[in-house]
Amino acid sequence: MASTIGEPGKGSKSTQSGQSGAKKLKKTKEGTSVEDKNETKDDEGSITDDIRNADFYHGLIPKTDAEALLKKEGDFVLRKTEHNSGVIVLCISVRTEADKVKHFVINTDASKSYFIDAAHKETSVSNLINFYKSTKTPLSVASNAKLKKAIERPPWGINHDAIFIIKKLGQGAFGEVYLAEYVSEKGREKVAVKTMKGEASRDARNKFLKEARMMRKYDHKNVVKILGVAVHEHPLMIVMECCEGGAMCSYLKKNGKTMPMKEKNRFVAEAAEGLAYLEKQQCIHRDIAARNCLLSGKNNIVKISDFGMSDDKAILHDDTLEKVPVKWLAPETLQDRIYSLKSDVWAFGVLVWEIYSNGAEPYPGLTRLQTRAKIVLTDYRMKMPDDTPGDMAKIALQCWDKVPDKRPAISAILPDLKKLADK
Ligand SMILES: Nc1ncnc2c1ncn2[C@@H]1O[C@H](COP(=O)(O)OP(=O)(O)OP(=O)(O)O)[C@@H](O)[C@H]1O
């Protein structure tokens, strides 16, 4: 019987490619820069070069991404997925005539034969796919899933060997962020590469790649652009435009005292422009802060980054409140764990405060717990730094209205912020 994901074939071994081990990046002439090759060796058992280089092999792309690529009945991709905890297997995802996507594990036996249904075995994965495609045999009787058209990797699917790591830029939640060179048909360009540690769980991997999925939707000069993801090998990578100026909060800490007021006003206006765009796309960012605004180019253009927590639901109820940036959270988030476009507006107010206080930590002298208590219980609001332009201070206070609906939309305050920046 064919086994779909979640119901492994009994008495057979799936095409395991081994659990990801932690790997160190190193610079190589060939590009991908992974020191520990063990896992790739494991991969080679089942993923031979004909598969690795096949256009329809998508590596570890998440189910959601695979499903979005399969538009018509018979469209299929070959990908890797975590079958049972810690075991990476090869699987075929295919859209069925019932307009559902089914995922079939490719199994292997002691004699290195590959099969979906033990009734038909082949000596390689590519032969197995060719068999199902050419004979139009259903992958399982129940689903009647047939392989018709292999769907190629999308343009955002990047090969590891097109990435040349140069140096570490920072530390992300899942792994390091590097400056790298990305070689494509367009030539060579400097990029930032967010990596994910090899030993991460399926959950963490999905979270990591969700950030890429969110970023793919956006195209704006004040939002960090994604170029693609590399998911064929470990470490998984998100490849994005590089903002050489680094995080705004570090810049403010270093240069804030000597920065012209005009530049601070511009930082506010540019961050607002990026955020107004996200607001229009119904994207709740959930982590607006100076540390997540990056600076790009010789003019230090502000770009909103870090979509690790973002979502495109109108209102989000997140029960976990795990590792949350308390000092940037609105009262309704602190109390009821509700996130909305209006909780981003609150965080934008805190960002404005950070800009005029030269990157200081909000609510100086208060712990996270004290901050939470003061906001929720006493309606406490920070005082804006003394030299904040009056109109700017007024706008920040509007962003901190207790009632989310009374906070302005970013698009509504943007014209005034731009005027202030142009003065
Ligand atoms: N596109 C980029 N260009 C230049 N530097 C970057 C870029 N993206 C990230 N960095 C650097 O890497 C650091 C970590 O990135 P980021 O904050 O996005 O990671 P993260 O996984 O979301 O971490 P956390 O959730 O803890 O903030 C940033 O502070 C910045 O210094």
Side-chain angles (χ1 to χ4, degrees), residues 220 222-223 269-279 302 304 410 414:
H220 188 272
N222 299 115
V223 175
E270 287 179 356
E273 213 165 330
L275 198 51
Y277 169 80
L278 295 175
E279 189 176 73
V302 177
I304 294 179
I410 298 291
L414 184 60

Side-chain angles (χ1 to χ4, degrees), residues 169-174 177 192 194 224 240-243 247 292 294 306:
L169 286 175
Q171 182 66 45
F174 295 106
V177 181
K194 212 174 205 182
V224 172
M240 45 187 171
E241 71 171 301
C242 183
C243 302
N292 289 329
L294 301 178
D306 197 351

